[in-house]
Amino acid sequence: MTLSEFNAAGALARRAADAAPSLRALPGYVGISLHAGTIVVEGEGPELRARVAELNRVDQVNGVDQLNQAGPADFVLAAPASAAVVPSAAELLASSTQQLFEAYVRDVGAAGLQAVTYTNGHFVIRTGGTTTAQTGPASSAGLLTGTDTTPATAPGTKPKMSAADFVARYANVALEQGSRIATEEDYFGGEGYIIDGRTVCSAGFGAFGPAGEPLILTAGHCAADGAAKQAEIENPAGAPAAGGAGSGTAAGTLGSFGFSQFGGPGNTKVASDGTNVGTDIAVLQGIRSGLDLQPAVTRWDNPADPGPTSVKIVGTVAPFQGQPVCRSGRSLGWSCGTVDSVGTWVIAGPDSLPPDYDNDLRALNGFDSTTVKSRPGDSGGPWISGNFAVGTHTGAESDGGVQTRAIATTLEDATGRIPGGVQLQLFLNKPTLAAAANGTLTAGEPITGHVDAAPASVVAPNSKVRITVQSSNPGQKPGQPLEVPVDASGNWQFPAPEWAGSFTFSAETVNGFSRSGAVSLSVKVSGLAAPVITAPADARTDGHADGPGLTAVETIEGTGEPGRTVRLSGDFTGTGLVAPDGRWSINVADQPVFGKVSVTAVLTAPGQTDSPSATSSFTVIPPVPAVSGIRDGKHLRQDSLPASISGTAVDGAEVSVSMDGAAIGSAQASSAGTGARASLQPRVPQDLAGGARWSVPFPAGLAAGAHRLTVTQAIDGVASLPAAVAFTIDAAPASAGTPDETPAVPQQPAVQQPAPRQPGTPAHSTVPAQVPVAQVPVAPSTVPPSTVPPSDASVTVGGTPPGNANQLAGTGAGGLLYAAGLGAGALLLGAAVVIFARRRAVR
């Protein structure tokens, strides 16, 4: 079971405990248990069925129905197993463990009785050997002594009737043979303590007395019927749970014994009528000054520093069959399992004597587990379910020296028997303040905060936050501390004062006498209400939703108090005045920003605290990136492909390049240089002049034929529309002299142009025609596209002067046309740069 599963099971047990009182009062109710993540209510009848259905429609907090809330369907009504048993005319049906226990003691007696419990739809009477409390020296020697005995009755007495005859009267009661139960007086609840220098026990839970004094709850039998006086802290390093020798070395004073009860009131043994069922609880009081009791249980992961892995306690819960539980103690340490049964247990008192031990039997309300393990010295230690306290350890049953079950006292029942009452010490986190808009609120607006549950599963029920004013502004009247409730989710709130300025206060989470410790918190209170941002509206707030999205932001608009000044911050800055009609507008066209954008607005006024802020977030789609060198419709020769693909984009944008639908690389556009990058980089301040360059390697192995290049740029994950370029790769011509030689441009026959002959060159030598590359758009009526030579060396194919069937031999006129083409291209590109610069992101 994981820690989260354990915590969830504890919360489920708490839900069952809250519902149990209302279920017990209904006719037909038999019992309640936990099974496979559900709360099984055993019983039948229309009233019980209606209540179970109601519990699945509501949540409960501390036993009180919280109506109009959807609760999980955790409750399941199941017919009791005993319902299938039809008693004969001579048989009875047991209805409760208390009724059955009283009847057994009255008709059979307490001798040899171990427990009366309810489990798996029927009642169980366990008989067998009871035993004396194992009181041994503080050293480990002698703590494991004792032999099992199974007497039938106390010496010289005759039972009124046998246990078998008693059980035979009931149709839903079984008889089990048990082994000896041993109380384990050797431990401290999570850590050990030494009693009067002689014996060792374990402390269970921290608590508070009626006046708020710190206490420790432990097992009543550790007090030796009130004879025990002083308790000393056992050095954890020497405890068996920490791998020590169990020497019981003292590490300072702990406190002294106060109230204790083992068995009936006044430590009485089982009465002849069985009516004095009691408990096993003791209180350690007068806790040493400076000792800081923790509302947590050690798991013994690190005895020298148990805090980080300790389990925090936030309340109590009753035990149920099937409930996951864990126990902690100084002898065996941490052990977990499930509750097997709940009922009344009989334990031998300190005056029990061998061989039968039946002369001092004590009865108590408790529960057992065959999967949880323990050892002598674990007595008094805590049993928990999730973050809830369930009980304190009482003893164990052993058979031939092998433990068969562990037994604990029910904590909720035990604490109710302590005179004056006690409060369990609870774990509470300090409160925190919810983030107010720019730390400012308007007068009377709720100041909100939160109390975290972690590392516990929930905040202790009925917790509050105590508010105390620490400082005041002129005219502010200090008041009494204010306590505000904390809801089930940990939220709390109270109204801000009616005056403007800084408001400082202390806040502390409290629950009875449990305290978190105070923290100092402050907020600003303004007399100005927050403005409202109404435009721009964004159809793609996450950058992926349907809708056109924003391509530019020209103005930020909104409403506010007339005559006040609006100040913008964030991705846009500026100020403006609220008009008499309550509207304002600030022009931000000169601040182009792309990606996920936010802007914050406040109202200002001379001599006043700025208003709370209003923030609006939206998405601005980047422009289409530019691709240089390869133009739509261009032909490239396969043996002279460019080394790279490049272009321009918004500075800091992540450029993604795909070829024929498959990604071939990405790069970050940068005004400082180019280069392929593997991941998106943070947006950086941009220099708008000239744009930012990007470049990725040209993919190797592209086959001859038509191809499609697409390029997008993204800022903050917001992608632009793609730039698409279609081009063709022409097969390279075969080597000279071969019969299958083909021209570079098969559509038109190549015309060989005469070239100056170098000395020694044969008269019949020719130079292949260059494949035409259109780099700059020129009107066809002025310059044919095929005559424009390449202007980017990175994509130039071949190295000879231009020529084809429509061209004359290279002359000076060719150079003039080339220059004219460049001039026209520069004019067009210059206009594009001017327009593009107004849409560039500045961050």
Side-chain angles (χ1 to χ4, degrees), residues 459-475:
V459 179
N462 297 320
S463 294
K464 298 179 179 179
V465 172
R466 177 172 293 170
I467 307 297
T468 306
V469 175
Q470 289 180 326
S471 63
S472 61
N473 291 323

Side-chain angles (χ1 to χ4, degrees), residues 23-286:
L23 292 167
R24 291 192 188 101
L26 298 176
Y29 172 79
V30 176
I32 190 169
S33 62
L34 302 183
H35 178 72
T38 61
I39 304 169
V40 179
V41 180
E42 295 184 62
E44 54 189 353
E47 294 181 3
L48 194 62
R49 187 178 303 106
R51 178 56 180 158
V52 169
E54 183 181 20
L55 288 170
N56 283 328
R57 292 195 301 269
V58 302
D59 280 333
Q60 284 201 337
V61 177
N62 299 321
V64 179
D65 291 345
Q66 306 298 299
L67 300 177
N68 302 319
Q69 297 187 36
D74 294 330
F75 291 87
V76 176
L77 182 63
S82 59
V85 179
V86 180
S88 67
E91 288 181 319
L92 303 173
L93 285 176
S95 59
S96 70
T97 57
Q98 181 62 32
Q99 173 265 329
L100 190 62
F101 177 79
E102 292 177 4
Y104 184 91
V105 171
R106 183 176 60 249
D107 296 343
V108 180
L113 177 63
Q114 284 188 325
V116 178
T117 67
Y118 180 81
T119 182
N120 295 325
H122 68 282
F123 295 89
V124 176
I125 293 179
R126 291 179 55 82
T127 62
T130 56
T131 185
T132 182
Q134 295 179 329
T135 302
S139 66
S140 59
L143 296 184
L144 299 176
T145 60
T147 57
D148 292 342
T149 60
T150 311
T153 63
T157 63
K158 182 179 180 179
K160 303 170 186 177
M161 67 186 304
S162 70
D165 289 340
F166 177 85
V167 170
R169 299 193 303 183
Y170 292 86
N172 61 338
V173 180
L175 181 65
E176 287 186 1
Q177 178 67 33
S179 299
R180 180 174 171 275
I181 297 174
T183 57
E184 299 171 339
E185 294 183 285
D186 305 309
Y187 179 85
F188 174 102
E191 293 179 327
Y193 66 94
I194 305 165
I195 306 165
D196 294 334
R198 295 191 301 270
T199 55
V200 185
C201 272
S202 301
F205 302 97
F208 297 99
E213 68 275 18
L215 306 172
I216 292 175
L217 303 181
T218 186
H221 69 262
C222 293
D225 284 351
K229 302 299 181 184
Q230 298 296 319
E232 295 177 286
I233 297 173
E234 180 190 28
N235 185 353
S247 60
T249 303
T253 300
L254 177 60
S256 59
F257 279 89
F259 171 81
S260 67
Q261 182 178 334
F262 178 31
N267 303 307
T268 54
K269 60 184 179 181
V270 178
S272 59
D273 61 358
T275 56
N276 66 331
V277 176
T279 187
D280 184 20
I281 195 72
V283 173
L284 291 174
Q285 60 189 17

